[in-house]
Amino acid sequence: QVQLVESGGGVVQPGRSLRLSCEASRFMFSNFGMVWVRQAPGKGPEWVSFISYDASKKTYADSVKGRFTISRDNSKNTLYLQMNSLRAEDTAVYYCVKRVNFYFDYWGQGTPVTVSS
Amino acid sequence: QSALTQPRSVSGSPGQSVTISCAGTSSDVGTYNYVSWYQQHPGKALKLMIYDVTNRPSGVPDRFSGSKSDNTASLTISGLQAEDEGDYYCCSYAGTYTWVFGGGTKLTVL
């Protein structure tokens, strides 16, 4: 069974940075595109960012463009999300998600991020 | 990148059928046959229930079915069971490697 384990979440002040990691196992990580999806309290999920299997293609939601950077290390089976200039509205649970074609077949349990002074 | 529109809640009795709608635009649901549906139970990871509008992954009961008409997709659950209770989210591909989700529908099995 595919495993996706996120880490790096926590409480951070507005304007500061945080780096999320996602360790993938039990599938060929280097063959699949990955995404980050976040879910604010009481809200629906919001797609945040996509990275292709070889990192040649990266896309971002308008709400995070210029502040967040997605990356991956296929030698370590790990996905990252560097989050800079954090705002209160970035508060959410962040999920690491495996992408297949145009849908998402496996989700991690999520790591919570709270932006508050 | 506006969210898809779903009813906040639906309910049904065991054995009945319910349908959850997901309204998008001509930029997402209306253009692409890439609508997927996800189930979430409290404290659990989201689970894929339907992909590419109508397809069920292996292991998902055939009580779950999907459809689409113009800019609106739908998830129908027939023969409701207590374990179906939870939150359901639709998602559509929106082009150029971007996606948009719905706000979610809480399904209550009475």
Side-chain angles (χ1 to χ4, degrees):
Chain A
Q1 182 77 332
V2 167
Q3 281 203 334
L4 298 166
V5 180
E6 304 93 337
S7 62
V11 180
V12 62
Q13 293 179 327
R16 303 297 290 261
S17 299
L18 211 56
R19 188 199 199 199
L20 306 183
S21 299
C22 170
E23 190 169 330
S25 59
R26 301 183 185 177
F27 71 102
M28 194 63 70
F29 179 73
S30 58
N31 286 358
F32 291 92
M34 299 291 294
V35 304
W36 286 99
V37 175
R38 68 185 181 184
Q39 187 171 24
K43 302 286 188 181
E46 177 189 13
W47 167 78
V48 172
S49 183
F50 159 80
I51 187 168
S52 60
Y53 71 100
D54 62 353
S56 63
K57 185 68 176 177
K58 302 176 185 180
T59 57
Y60 300 92
D62 289 343
S63 56
V64 307
K65 201 171 293 183
R67 299 187 299 121
F68 289 12
T69 302
I70 192 170
S71 61
R72 64 190 297 161
D73 186 337
N74 285 345
S75 69
K76 295 181 179 179
N77 289 343
T78 303
L79 177 72
Y80 303 101
L81 186 67
Q82 177 67 42
M83 305 186 295
N84 298 334
S85 303
L86 282 162
R87 306 166 179 167
E89 53 265 36
D90 296 319
T91 294
V93 175
Y94 285 73
Y95 295 97
C96 166
V97 188
K98 176 175 171 283
R99 171 238 181 192
V100 175
N101 294 329
F102 299 98
Y103 60 94
F104 312 122
D105 62 346
Y106 287 100
W107 298 61
Q109 291 286 345
T111 185
V113 172
T114 301
V115 184
S116 173
S117 54
Chain B
Q1 295 175 350
S2 298
L4 306 175
T5 301
Q6 298 180 233
R8 292 190 63 92
S9 65
V10 297
S11 62
S13 300
Q16 289 186 331
S17 294
V18 295
T19 296
I20 300 171
S21 61
C22 170
T25 70
S26 57
S27 297
D28 37 64
V29 176
T31 292
Y32 302 101
N33 288 322
Y34 300 134
V35 176
S36 49
W37 290 88
Y38 303 87
Q39 177 192 65
Q40 187 177 35
H41 290 137
K44 298 287 190 179
L46 280 77
K47 177 185 176 184
L48 175 68
M49 305 302 287
I50 295 287
Y51 66 95
D52 296 351
V53 179
T54 61
N55 296 316
R56 271 179 294 104
S58 61
V60 172
D62 59 6
R63 303 184 291 102
F64 290 83
S65 63
S67 62
K68 191 188 88 166
S69 177
D70 297 326
N71 296 341
T72 300
S74 297
L75 173 71
T76 298
I77 310 170
S78 57
L80 266 180
Q81 298 184 5
E83 69 219 44
D84 299 333
E85 188 164 286
D87 296 321
Y88 290 82
Y89 301 98
C90 61
C91 177
S92 176
Y93 182 65
T96 326
Y97 297 102
T98 67
W99 286 263
V100 60
F101 282 88
T105 299
K106 182 177 182 61
L107 168 63
T108 301
V109 180
L110 302 171

